[in-house]
Amino acid sequence: MTTAIDPFRILVVDDEPKIAVIVREHLASYGDKVRVDAATGPEEAEARLKASLYDLALLDLYGAHDMPIGTEMLHRIDELHLSTRVLFMTRFNLREDALGLLQLLGS
C-alpha cells in the first residue's frame, strides 16, 4: 500500500513579477512533489502565509529602491509564529551586508 506524501510547499516572494514567475515555473517543474505559489510584495505574501502553511519561503532580499523586503518578510513570518524556513535570494553582491544580515538573523 502506497502512502501519499504531501507536496513540499514553497512561497516565492519577489517584487519583479517576471523573476517570481521564472522561479515559480522552474520549481514547479518538479511536478507533484512541490507546490509553488508566488507573491510580488509583502502584503500579498503575508496574506498567502496566513491562508496556507509553507515549508519554505524563497525571499528576494531587496525590493524596489533597495527596500529590504526579505528581512521585512522574515520579521512577519516570525511574528506569525510560523515554522516556515527562509532562503534569501538577491542579484546583489552581499559581502558588505552579510555580517549585518547574520546579526539580524541571530536576534
Side-chain angles (χ1 to χ4, degrees):
M1 179 173 178
T2 305
T3 304
I5 298 175
D6 291 333
F8 192 78
R9 304 270 330 242
I10 302 172
L11 177 62
V12 177
V13 183
D14 196 306
D15 65 309
E16 295 183 42
K18 289 181 181 180
I19 300 298
V21 168
I22 289 168
V23 173
R24 186 186 70 217
E25 288 177 354
H26 177 73
L27 293 170
S29 71
Y30 288 94
D32 60 358
K33 296 175 185 168
V34 297
R35 179 168 173 205
V36 184
D37 295 321
T40 57
E43 291 76 23
E44 181 184 0
E46 184 172 353
R48 289 186 178 274
L49 286 163
K50 287 179 177 177
S52 299
L53 295 175
Y54 289 92
D55 299 295
L56 175 68
L58 184 54
L59 307 174
D60 182 13
L61 189 55
Y62 294 106
H65 310 292
D66 295 336
M67 296 298 296
I69 62 171
T71 53
E72 178 182 342
M73 285 307 308
L74 178 64
H75 287 298
R76 291 186 188 194
I77 289 168
D78 188 49
E79 289 170 0
L80 293 169
H81 304 287
L82 300 174
S83 61
T84 305
R85 293 176 192 99
V86 172
L87 181 65
F88 291 107
M89 60 181 179
T90 186
R91 63 183 171 155
F92 295 109
N93 181 347
L94 292 179
R95 289 182 187 192
E96 296 81 26
D97 295 340
L99 183 57
L101 182 60
L102 290 173
Q103 289 173 338
L104 174 69
L105 296 174
S107 62

